[in-house]
């Protein structure tokens, strides 16, 4: 069984580099996984179609929080359309580990929240 | 002391299984009973005249008799079903014709989803009112609030005997007393899924009208549920899951239903599962339910003591050691992370809301970990759980 709790995941979940709130976000997204209680909220600053800043707040497991943090890093400075083109495989690649079906739900929640509920303020 | 009865542990040396409240492992006698049935005695139940069919029917009815003996009940009061969830749904559908708009059902915040959703559907369908008894800080149902909720429209009260999360035990005799004091004629249903594997039970003396138990939590195979009902009520209920085996006869213009419990047991039954359940009950009786209860209490007491000593671990409520259930959270580490990391060290605990969403809502937490005791639990298992929890804390907070 692979150790999904490699240093990067624990480190990113304990000390997320993109955790927190933005001063003046232009977009927000909030969502949760009712079956496990994980909650993710996003704040984005989109300028001329580009994600110029991005933060997340997670009340979630280490895999979900690390996924959100790595996703935020990958999206910053990218066109907002990048969100809809991000695949689940891309998330697994960011985390760098194979995930069981249950933990895959944890890992994909941040992307699903962004994809399904991102709204301009 | 009983671990050697369970072959799973010889196939997984070092495995610590602390998830018996979800499902229990199976002793060799149960596995043998299932295998022997499928290899030597399998046949249709209640339908065929040849010897194999007759034997199958006898084995089926033998399960009913063994279950009746185990629970000190009458065989005709035991309905054999596919699981406890099926029992709740059958009961809800069978009681549905007795309910009218404005009637009330009382549950509690401790209940498992299986004892909420069937009633919620009925409530929505017939504009019934669902009341939820609150819980105390200890995680016990606030029974003193029951009289204020009881009205002449209260038709059903359905409560857990033992919480599947916080491990508290409901004083059923107190519920019965309060119902009698109020002159209530409400039907009193008890979810016994977590008590039946651990307590000696005399069902007719519990004070309830119906009692539901799950076979796979009692060391039997999955796919078996027991519904016990007082004959005086059970006999009046209609067949709400009609099908093969529920009628004496059917013509285009005539249906003659069987007597209870047969009219509630539609379809070809899970014969091998039922024979396995018979073996499980016989196994438990061989040990003695008093001994089972003492074992559970001893291990759960140690579990509470060990977890209580770990800084940053919070036990939910005040579990009764007889339940064998202790739920907990660990500061700043999600329950899923705890359970997965414990799993990597061969320590099996449950994480999530344990099909008790409203309870976790009340507790203000999204999820918890739960360790639960089985006959195979040994003191060393508890110590290993505690050691591994401390290691996980170090890893996360390093």
């Amino acid at each position: 069984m692979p150790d999904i709790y490699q240093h990067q995941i624990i480190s990113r979940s304990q000390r997320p580099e993109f955790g927190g709130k933005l001063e003046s976000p232009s977009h927000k997204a909030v969502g949760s996984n009712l079956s496990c209680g994980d909650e993710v909220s996003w704040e984005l600053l989109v300028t001329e179609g580009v994600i110029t800043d991005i933060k997340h707040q997670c009340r979630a497991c280490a895999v979900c929080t690390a996924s959100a943090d790595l996703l935020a890093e990958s999206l910053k400075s990218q066109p907002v359309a990048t969100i809809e083109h991000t695949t689940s495989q891309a998330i697994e690649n960011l985390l760098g580990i194979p995930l069981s079906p249950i933990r895959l739900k944890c890992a994909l929640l941040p992307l699903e929240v962004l994809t399904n509920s991102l709204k301009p303020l | 002391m009983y671990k050697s009865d369970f072959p799973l542990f010889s196939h997984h040396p070092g495995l610590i299984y602390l998830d018996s409240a979800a499902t229990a492992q199976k002793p060799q006698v149960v596995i043998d009973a299932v295998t022997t049935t499928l290899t030597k005695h399998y046949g249709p139940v209640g339908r065929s005249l040849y010897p194999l069919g007759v034997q199958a029917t006898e084995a089926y009815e033998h399960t009913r008799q063994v279950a009746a003996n185990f629970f000190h009940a009458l065989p005709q009061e035991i309905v054999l079903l596919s699981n406890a969830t099926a029992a709740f749904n059958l009961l809800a559908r069978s009681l549905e014709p007795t309910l009218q708009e404005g009637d009330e059902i009382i549950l509690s915040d401790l209940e498992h989803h299986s004892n909420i959703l069937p009633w919620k559907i009925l409530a929505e369908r017939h504009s019934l009112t669902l009341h939820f008894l609150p819980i105390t800080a200890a995680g016990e149902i606030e029974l003193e609030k029951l009289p204020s909720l009881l009205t002449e429209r209260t038709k059903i009260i359905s409560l857990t005997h033992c919480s599947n999360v916080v491990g508290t035990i409901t004083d059923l005799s107190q519920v019965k007393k309060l119902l009698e004091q109020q002159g209530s004629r409400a039907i009193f249903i008890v979810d016994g899924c977590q008590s039946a594997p651990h307590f000696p039970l005399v069902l007719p003396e519990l004070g309830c009208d119906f009692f539901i138990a799950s076979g796979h939590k009692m060391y039997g195979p999955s796919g078996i549920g027991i519904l016990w009902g007082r004959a005086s009520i059970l006999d009046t209920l209609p067949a709400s899951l009609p099908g093969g085996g529920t009628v004496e006869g059917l013509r285009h213009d005539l249906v003659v239903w069987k007597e209870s419990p047969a009219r509630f047991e539609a379809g070809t039954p899970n014969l091998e599962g039922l024979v396995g359940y018979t073996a499980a009950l016989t196994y438990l009786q061989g040990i003695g339910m008093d001994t089972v209860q003492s074992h559970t209490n001893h291990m759960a007491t140690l579990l509470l003591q060990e977890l209580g000593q770990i800084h940053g671990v919070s036990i939910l409520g005040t579990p009764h050691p007889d339940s064998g259930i202790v739920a907990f959270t660990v500061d700043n580490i999600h329950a899923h992370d705890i359970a997965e990391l414990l799993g990597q060290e061969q320590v099996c605990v449950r994480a999530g809301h344990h099909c008790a969403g409203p309870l976790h809502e009340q507790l203000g937490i999204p999820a918890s970990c739960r360790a639960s005791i089985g006959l195979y639990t040994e003191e060393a298992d508890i110590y290993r759980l505690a050691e591994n929890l401390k290691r996980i804390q170090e890893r996360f907070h390093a």
Side-chain angles (χ1 to χ4, degrees):
Chain A
M1 182 186 289
D3 180 7
I4 68 167
Y5 293 90
Q6 51 177 264
H7 176 71
Q8 174 182 242
I9 289 179
I10 290 183
S11 166
R12 286 278 185 163
S13 68
Q14 296 288 296
R15 293 170 292 280
E17 292 175 22
F18 292 82
K21 295 169 81 94
L22 294 178
E23 258 185 39
S24 305
S26 62
H27 290 69
K28 274 193 176 183
V30 179
S32 62
N33 178 347
L34 278 178
S35 68
C36 68
D38 283 357
E39 295 170 359
V40 178
S41 63
W42 286 102
E43 288 187 351
L44 279 68
L45 179 60
V46 179
T47 311
E48 295 178 356
V50 173
I51 302 169
T52 51
D53 208 354
I54 180 167
K55 296 272 189 190
H56 65 85
Q57 286 189 301
C58 293
R59 190 181 180 219
C61 65
V63 171
C64 181
T65 307
S67 171
D69 210 51
L70 290 161
L71 179 59
E73 185 176 64
S74 75
L75 289 174
K76 190 168 180 182
S77 305
Q78 298 297 315
V80 73
T82 308
I83 293 170
E84 62 188 85
H85 296 124
T86 304
T87 63
S88 57
Q89 186 58 55
I91 299 295
E92 284 197 76
N93 293 344
L94 284 173
L95 288 164
I97 44 161
L99 292 163
S100 68
I102 289 179
R103 298 323 294 270
L104 192 58
K105 281 187 184 175
C106 306
L108 293 182
L109 180 65
L111 175 62
E112 285 170 2
V113 171
L114 263 185
T115 306
N116 298 332
S117 64
L118 189 65
K119 287 179 185 161
L121 293 171
Chain B
M1 154 182 197
Y2 302 105
K3 208 166 209 166
S4 59
D5 293 344
F6 295 80
L8 180 111
F9 297 105
S10 60
H11 291 283
H12 299 275
L15 185 79
I16 307 298
Y17 189 78
L18 291 167
D19 200 16
S20 298
T23 193
Q25 296 299 336
K26 315 307 170 196
Q28 186 67 54
V29 288
V30 169
I31 296 165
D32 289 345
V34 172
T35 306
T36 303
T37 301
L38 289 173
T39 52
K40 294 184 181 172
H41 306 301
Y42 187 77
V45 172
R47 285 151 174 82
S48 302
L49 299 176
Y50 47 84
L52 211 52
V54 172
Q55 283 172 17
T57 304
E58 286 173 350
Y60 182 72
E61 289 304 326
H62 182 60
T63 300
R64 196 188 311 283
Q65 184 63 58
V66 170
N69 291 344
F70 185 87
F71 290 117
H72 304 276
L74 298 171
Q76 62 268 30
E77 295 180 323
I78 301 283
V79 186
L80 304 172
L81 297 166
S82 58
N83 51 48
T85 298
F88 277 111
N89 280 281
L90 178 95
L91 208 42
R93 289 179 64 174
S94 297
L95 290 167
E96 188 172 7
T98 69
L99 301 169
Q100 295 179 330
E101 183 178 338
D103 282 345
E104 299 172 11
I105 296 172
I106 298 176
L107 309 173
S108 87
D109 281 338
L110 278 189
E111 303 311 316
H112 188 281
H113 292 175
S114 294
N115 190 24
I116 298 175
L117 293 170
W119 309 117
K120 197 169 176 56
I121 288 170
L122 280 195
E124 286 167 5
R125 194 180 290 162
H126 299 288
S127 300
L128 313 175
T129 302
L130 282 188
H131 295 288
F132 286 82
L133 280 163
I135 56 169
T136 65
E140 293 170 343
I141 299 172
E142 282 192 61
L143 292 181
E144 53 271 34
K145 297 271 173 69
L146 179 57
S148 65
L149 288 180
L150 280 173
T151 73
E152 59 182 21
R153 301 302 300 271
T154 306
K155 295 296 168 65
I156 294 166
I157 172 165
S158 189
L159 302 175
T160 186
H161 192 185
C162 174
S163 164
N164 72 314
V165 179
V166 290
T168 48
I169 296 171
T170 307
D171 184 348
L172 302 181
S173 61
Q174 179 67 6
V175 176
K176 180 66 176 170
K177 189 174 156 191
L178 292 169
L179 291 175
E180 285 175 349
Q181 281 175 355
Q182 299 282 311
S184 174
R185 298 180 65 186
I187 287 175
F188 180 22
I189 300 163
V190 169
D191 175 356
C193 288
Q194 298 297 346
S195 59
H198 298 286
F199 304 177
L201 293 169
V202 181
L203 297 190
E205 294 178 6
L206 289 181
C208 57
D209 300 306
F210 290 95
F211 184 94
I212 289 167
S214 169
H216 69 95
K217 295 185 201 297
M218 302 178 74
Y219 309 99
S222 47
I224 303 299
I226 294 289
L227 169 65
W228 170 81
R230 286 191 190 282
S232 58
I233 303 174
L234 194 62
D235 289 346
T236 66
L237 299 182
S240 55
L241 183 68
T246 60
V247 293
E248 295 289 356
L250 174 64
R251 295 178 190 161
H252 285 102
D253 58 352
L254 179 70
V255 181
V256 181
W257 298 102
K258 282 185 175 173
E259 297 292 313
S260 65
R263 70 165 172 268
F264 302 111
E265 298 170 349
T268 298
N270 175 1
L271 178 66
E272 67 274 23
L274 287 161
V275 174
Y277 185 54
T278 302
L281 295 180
T282 306
Y283 173 73
L284 285 170
Q285 278 178 317
I287 293 169
M289 288 308 290
D290 288 328
T291 305
V292 172
Q293 189 176 28
S294 298
H295 171 82
T296 303
N297 183 297
H298 175 71
M299 292 299 163
T301 300
L302 182 64
L303 179 59
L304 284 164
Q305 180 188 309
E306 287 296 306
L307 294 184
Q309 288 175 359
I310 304 176
H311 183 69
V313 170
S314 303
I315 292 166
L316 303 186
T318 308
H320 194 299
D322 283 357
S323 73
I325 292 172
V326 179
F328 58 95
T329 57
V330 182
D331 288 355
N332 304 316
I333 311 179
H334 193 279
H336 277 180
D337 296 323
I338 295 286
E340 180 139 0
L341 282 163
L342 286 173
Q344 288 178 10
E345 299 302 323
Q346 293 200 80
V347 180
C348 308
V349 301
R350 174 88 177 258
H353 53 50
H354 320 300
C355 294
L359 172 60
H360 281 78
E361 189 183 355
Q362 286 296 310
L363 295 169
I365 53 174
S368 60
C369 287
R370 179 187 69 189
S372 51
I373 303 297
L375 271 169
Y376 28 74
T377 306
E378 296 174 343
E379 289 181 354
D381 299 350
I382 310 290
Y383 294 130
R384 247 184 72 192
L385 168 67
E387 284 162 18
N388 278 286
L389 277 176
K390 288 176 200 165
R391 278 198 208 116
I392 292 167
Q393 285 180 311
E394 286 166 12
R395 192 169 171 188
F396 265 72
H397 299 136

